[in-house]
Amino acid sequence: MPIRILDATVVNLIAAGEVLERPASAVKEMIENSLDAGATRVSVEIEDGGRRLIRVTDDGAGMGPEDLALAFVPHATSKLEKAEDLSAIHSFGFRGEALASIAEVARARVVSRVRGSELAHEAEAECGKGAPVKPSAAPEGTTVEVWDLFGNIPARRKFLKTSPVEAAHVGDVVTRFALARPDVRFELRSDGVPVATLPPVKDISERVGHYFGRDLRQALVPVEAEARGLKLTGYAARPTFTSHNTRLQFTWVNGRYVRDKVLFRAITEAFSDLVMVRRAPAVFLFLEIEPKDIDVNVHPAKIEIRFLNSSRIHDFVRDEIRRRLMAGGVPPAFVPKDAWGSFVNQTPEQRVADREQSLNEFFARPADQPVFFTPPPGKAAMPEPRDIPPGVVDPTPPFRPLTAEGRAVQIHDAYILEEIPGGFNVIDQHALHERVLYFRIRERVLSHDVARQRLLVPAIVRDTGREKVIAAARPLLDRLGFEVEEFGPGALAIHAAPDWIGSKDPAGVVRDILADFDQPDPGRAADDALDHFIATCACKAAIKAGDRLAPEEIRALLNERGRVEHSQTCPHGRPVTLRVTLDELEKHFGRK
Ligand code: ADP
Ligand code: MG
């Protein structure tokens, strides 16, 4: 469609223009225009965080001289003609305001060559004044340059942050588009330095891996669902991967990046009781919905949105994520959130309803579906039941009285069965010990109170070829109470070990930690990295499935439980305990 000026009635139907806030908002508008023009390559260059220059180059459809003359005129757009079109918008733009408002606060220049045409043209607009279109030379596609943003408005310019901060905002904008459009090649350069070079890829999961690392990519579970005019695609990360804020929750509605509380609530509820308190899951989700079901009066330049039927959307998104997570082998909500604490505070009705529901879910599972979390390959799996040669008495008696409150016994060298008033617990010994250690280590590290034990002879750990990993892990190892020293390339000498490793071999623990430790992701906050590191250490130092426990060890472990926060999940968010009540047993065996 050629660019035309919208008539006043249509203009009035659209919410009033958004002021450009910062360089990143201009970059967003410019990339949207490139994608609207069908670009397969978008390159973004900024100087001084975008304050001095923003240049976006694409290989899209381009503009001819007539269109160029109109591009900077307010309400000039090629994407909308009449009011009815408003309810069927499939492009990012339609208001014809972006270039006009950019030109009002900056010097802007466009060079463009229509696909298949011989000649390029350019036009320059300065502070709202148009300039004549003249012939130029350029490849097919469009380049838009924005110089000295807010140069004419010192008050606005003053509010811009430092150049690295503004550049980071631009980076975020590019990331959101790059995640949504894996088929498009994106490039970002800041002050001449390449920040991102993303060739087109088949699937968004590759870009997730590029930006956020292999761990997250491997945790992704695909989500795909469709129901009455709603479609949800993308990925949710298994609850083993969480973040300390909603930074890793990306949602798009009809291709537009949004941050919406209805969607966030749906995501939180889908993961409820699967992730630890104060941890947020990671998702990359695309919702498609009839344009008529979204309120167009909420300005599309904002990342907010207003759904006309929000509760249906909320339920759909929550249920579909949940369904996919469960299908991926994550345990059902069989472990009630109140596993330890508020059990007694529930009303009897709630209690019965809860148990009934979890029991139904439990028995409704197909027999081949694991009840417990399936450990990732390579990690300690539940051991095979031990073969006991005939004639040999199994040294583990079936039940061993342990505490005054009840009895506890280890089964399959992996789980502890604990008798409790009104039922019994099945406890994953590794998960519980991991949680206990995580809590203990964290508490000590944060209060700088780690007790060290000197080793008589330093233990040497060698990991050739991973010098960088070792160098990056060293300060963290130190905070955790290891005294380590570089010992030639790719090797560490351990002089002292923290007491929390118990009787484990210090070199073995460090080796395991290093094996799991990748270069810290630079985007990850320092405390998040430390948390992650502590979780890894706890995992490595914890007893494993397959470790036989002495009765005193079982008792000590169960006793620790009360002193630890969130003892119902391990640091990865996996449940620690499966609780079965007598009620459930009685129902199951038809006694009720
Ligand atoms: P809108 O996107 O709402 O239409 P803009 O002010 O962003 O308004 O752009 C005005 C018009 O300029 C667009 O409708 C489009 O026709 C044209 N245009 C802007 N950028 C490009 C581009 N990169 N490639 C092709 N056409 C463009
Ligand atoms: Mg636009």
Side-chain angles (χ1 to χ4, degrees):
M1 273 214 292
I3 299 187
R4 67 189 94 222
I5 300 182
L6 291 177
D7 75 61
T9 49
V10 180
V11 168
N12 292 335
L13 283 174
I14 307 172
E18 170 102 327
V19 275
L20 278 175
E21 219 187 320
R22 53 176 13 136
S25 8
V27 170
K28 169 178 172 285
E29 295 291 339
M30 291 154 81
I31 297 179
E32 286 186 350
N33 282 341
S34 296
L35 295 175
D36 280 348
T40 66
R41 268 188 10 233
V42 178
S43 112
V44 179
E45 291 167 72
I46 53 171
E47 283 176 23
D48 189 16
R51 289 190 285 199
R52 202 178 108 74
L53 170 68
I54 301 166
R55 181 188 290 128
V56 175
T57 304
D58 67 51
D59 65 347
M63 282 175 276
E66 303 77 29
D67 283 353
L68 267 183
L70 282 174
F72 293 110
V73 176
H75 307 301
T77 178
S78 59
K79 301 166 195 171
L80 183 71
E81 206 175 344
K82 44 194 189 309
E84 297 86 81
D85 298 342
L86 263 180
S87 57
I89 304 269
H90 290 286
S91 53
F92 286 113
F94 58 85
R95 298 162 293 128
E97 284 181 337
L99 289 184
S101 43
I102 289 173
E104 236 167 66
V105 295
R107 283 186 296 125
R109 175 171 170 264
V110 184
V111 187
S112 192
R113 181 165 139 201
V114 173
R115 261 187 212 149
S117 143
E118 294 289 299
L119 212 69
H121 290 85
E122 65 172 273
E124 207 161 323
E126 189 165 353
C127 293
K129 298 188 289 278
V133 176
K134 48 186 193 203
S136 180
E140 288 177 7
T142 305
T143 297
V144 180
E145 287 176 357
V146 175
W147 293 87
D148 293 324
L149 189 66
F150 302 137
N152 56 344
I153 316 177
R156 295 289 299 285
R157 198 169 169 95
K158 212 172 64 196
F159 278 105
L160 293 182
K161 299 278 193 306
T162 61
S163 158
V165 171
E166 295 300 340
H169 281 290
V170 171
D172 285 348
V173 165
V174 174
T175 304
R176 291 165 194 167
F177 283 109
L179 287 172
R181 291 294 304 271
D183 55 320
V184 174
R185 177 186 178 87
F186 283 94
E187 272 171 26
L188 171 61
R189 297 172 76 86
S190 178
D191 294 324
V193 179
V195 176
T197 308
L198 302 163
V201 285
K202 272 214 251 8
D203 191 78
I204 149 181
S205 60
E206 294 186 39
R207 294 217 163 143
V208 170
H210 170 89
Y211 276 112
F212 307 111
R214 204 184 46 190
D215 283 3
L216 177 50
R217 184 179 173 185
Q218 283 172 348
L220 296 179
V221 178
V223 175
E224 206 171 350
E226 209 166 347
R228 291 183 296 135
L230 293 178
K231 191 172 167 200
L232 187 67
T233 55
Y235 291 93
R238 287 197 191 84
T240 47
F241 196 107
T242 58
S243 165
H244 70 297
N245 58 25
T246 57
R247 190 175 70 90
L248 292 177
Q249 294 182 5
F250 287 83
T251 48
W252 293 263
V253 174
N254 292 353
R256 242 179 246 288
Y257 175 80
V258 299
R259 293 184 75 78
D260 172 70
K261 54 183 183 324
V262 173
L263 294 180
F264 281 152
R265 191 150 32 82
I267 293 162
T268 307
E269 286 176 19
F271 279 88
S272 73
D273 72 21
L274 296 178
V275 295
M276 264 160 50
V277 189
R278 276 181 274 134
R279 301 294 298 178
V283 300
F284 303 86
L285 291 172
F286 300 84
L287 181 69
E288 273 166 58
I289 171 174
E290 298 279 331
K292 67 174 170 40
D293 292 331
I294 305 176
D295 187 346
V296 291
N297 282 313
V298 172
H299 199 281
K302 291 190 179 162
I303 55 179
E304 286 148 28
I305 195 167
R306 198 179 301 143
F307 297 116
L308 298 185
N309 185 350
S310 59
S311 69
R312 188 164 104 78
I313 288 164
H314 168 271
D315 293 358
F316 172 71
V317 171
R318 178 198 56 200
D319 296 347
E320 292 305 331
I321 300 175
R322 186 88 183 169
R323 222 157 52 88
R324 298 305 307 175
L325 288 176
M326 293 313 173
V330 176
F334 186 55
V335 183
K337 263 185 263 176
D338 59 1
W340 302 110
S342 56
F343 179 67
V344 282
N345 299 330
Q346 272 187 325
T347 66
E349 288 79 10
Q350 272 173 332
R351 226 178 290 164
V352 171
D354 256 2
R355 299 300 173 274
E356 219 153 50
Q357 194 207 343
S358 24
L359 203 66
N360 286 338
E361 277 173 20
F362 182 70
F363 288 110
R365 295 170 71 80
D368 58 350
Q369 214 177 315
V371 177
F372 300 100
F373 176 81
T374 316
K379 295 272 161 62
M382 187 172 138
E384 294 296 311
R386 281 171 311 132
D387 278 334
I388 299 164
V392 173
V393 179
D394 183 2
T396 323
F399 267 91
R400 205 182 294 191
L402 261 180
T403 54
E405 306 93 59
R407 290 169 290 186
V409 64
Q410 188 187 29
I411 56 169
H412 295 299
D413 289 351
Y415 300 102
I416 298 168
L417 279 187
E418 181 194 26
E419 190 179 51
I420 51 164
F424 64 90
N425 287 328
V426 184
I427 297 163
D428 179 329
Q429 64 184 38
H430 171 69
L432 176 58
H433 193 213
E434 197 179 346
R435 163 86 352 218
V436 165
L437 278 180
Y438 173 80
F439 184 79
R440 257 206 253 144
I441 301 172
R442 199 162 181 278
E443 202 178 41
R444 301 250 193 101
V445 168
L446 294 183
S447 58
H448 301 281
D449 178 30
V450 190
R452 297 171 188 233
Q453 265 163 3
R454 290 207 72 77
L455 308 182
L456 287 176
V457 183
I460 310 296
V461 173
R462 204 173 296 280
D463 203 346
T464 320
R466 304 227 312 156
E467 289 77 15
K468 279 198 177 143
V469 171
I470 291 180
R474 254 198 58 186
L476 288 168
L477 282 170
D478 188 62
R479 276 197 77 176
L480 262 72
F482 288 97
E483 197 183 308
V484 289
E485 184 190 55
E486 238 152 279
F487 194 74
L492 285 178
I494 308 169
H495 293 288
D499 62 347
W500 53 257
I501 70 166
S503 58
K504 294 240 172 188
D505 159 38
V509 174
V510 170
R511 204 175 299 118
D512 282 352
I513 291 172
L514 290 178
D516 229 40
F517 185 79
D518 275 318
Q519 297 278 34
D521 152 10
R524 190 178 248 162
D527 58 339
D528 210 18
L530 182 68
D531 248 12
H532 181 77
F533 196 68
I534 295 175
T536 309
C537 295
C539 180
K540 297 306 171 195
I543 51 169
K544 302 269 177 322
D547 289 347
R548 173 71 51 93
L549 300 182
E552 311 79 68
E553 291 176 306
I554 298 178
R555 185 184 304 132
L557 187 56
L558 293 181
N559 286 346
E560 283 275 7
R561 197 172 44 184
R563 288 186 224 135
V564 167
E565 284 170 26
H566 312 306
S567 63
Q568 58 271 49
T569 49
C570 79
H572 299 111
R574 274 148 48 188
V576 165
T577 307
L578 175 74
R579 167 171 294 198
V580 180
T581 63
L582 283 180
D583 242 24
E584 287 159 353
L585 288 184
E586 279 162 11
K587 277 208 199 97
H588 180 67
F589 292 111
R591 288 163 175 265
K592 263 203 169 160

